[in-house]
Amino acid sequence: MAVPDDLTQVGHISGAYGIVGGIRVTPYSQDADALLNVKTWWLDKPTLHAVTVRSAKLHGGDVVATLVGMRDRNEAEALKGASVQVARSEFPALEEDEYYWSDLIGLDVVNLQGEALGKVTDMMHNGAQSILRITPVADPAAEGKAQERLVPFVDQFVKTVSLEQKLITLDWGLDF
């Protein structure tokens, strides 16, 4: 099987689950849709290879899964630390104004006045909503180190998201 050119890391294997070769995957998104719905995952341990998912379900904050051909706990333990990747083209479709975190990371961020706030370098979830982690643009003239911004990904602050322009516009001042 040819390696897809749109692989996206969606989690990592954090350990074995059960005694018959199940694995525990720590997802990199709150709902883990790609892990739960896509049947071909790519693991990078020992080398990049495809695996077929027999079953996957949420368990606590993790996804527990069984893979075709995995027979015991020792095989599952050997995969601990492997990244789990999925072809982006296989992600489940989203509703309008919904985004995968992996699509937002790397976008430039400006405010309504057109002032650069930085770049989205990470996403997290605080239980109520997703949070943009924005690393400021380096300004050699600025005194001291600019602070990263943590902005809730909610309509009150997020005014537009343009994946085509790779740009998010926020209602957020430079002094926040």
Side-chain angles (χ1 to χ4, degrees):
M1 178 182 285
V3 177
D5 60 357
D6 63 344
L7 286 181
T8 302
Q9 189 169 345
V10 294
H12 70 273
I13 297 175
S14 53
Y17 180 79
I19 60 172
V20 293
I23 57 173
R24 180 178 297 274
V25 178
T26 301
Y28 294 158
S29 70
Q30 182 66 22
D31 54 22
D33 281 349
L35 287 167
L36 296 172
N37 294 297
V38 176
K39 293 300 180 188
T40 301
W41 294 354
W42 291 81
L43 307 180
D44 67 352
K45 195 172 183 182
T47 60
L48 188 64
H49 64 284
V51 295
T52 302
V53 178
R54 177 176 286 135
S55 68
K57 65 180 181 178
L58 284 174
H59 184 72
D62 290 338
V63 171
V64 293
T66 57
L67 306 176
V68 172
M70 187 163 293
R71 297 172 298 279
D72 64 40
R73 185 174 181 89
N74 292 335
E75 289 181 49
E77 280 292 339
L79 291 175
K80 186 175 181 177
S83 72
V84 179
Q85 302 175 57
V86 171
R88 176 64 176 90
S89 58
E90 293 189 47
F91 280 24
L94 295 173
E95 299 293 324
E96 186 177 334
D97 292 333
E98 289 185 336
Y99 304 94
Y100 283 108
W101 286 6
S102 61
D103 292 337
L104 299 176
I105 294 172
L107 297 185
D108 292 319
V109 182
V110 298
N111 62 17
L112 292 172
Q113 294 73 35
E115 300 165 319
L117 298 173
K119 186 177 289 282
V120 178
T121 54
D122 196 10
M123 297 285 299
M124 61 182 133
H125 195 73
N126 71 357
Q129 69 260 331
S130 297
I131 306 288
L132 296 164
R133 176 175 273 159
I134 302 168
T135 300
V137 177
D139 181 3
E143 294 285 328
K145 184 179 180 197
Q147 297 292 313
E148 84 174 355
R149 293 178 172 89
L150 301 177
V151 180
F153 192 76
V154 295
D155 291 340
Q156 178 182 353
F157 303 119
V158 179
K159 297 308 175 188
T160 62
V161 175
S162 173
L163 298 179
E164 297 78 25
Q165 295 178 339
K166 298 182 186 297
L167 185 68
I168 297 174
T169 303
L170 301 178
D171 186 0
W172 199 264
L174 282 177
D175 55 346
F176 292 177

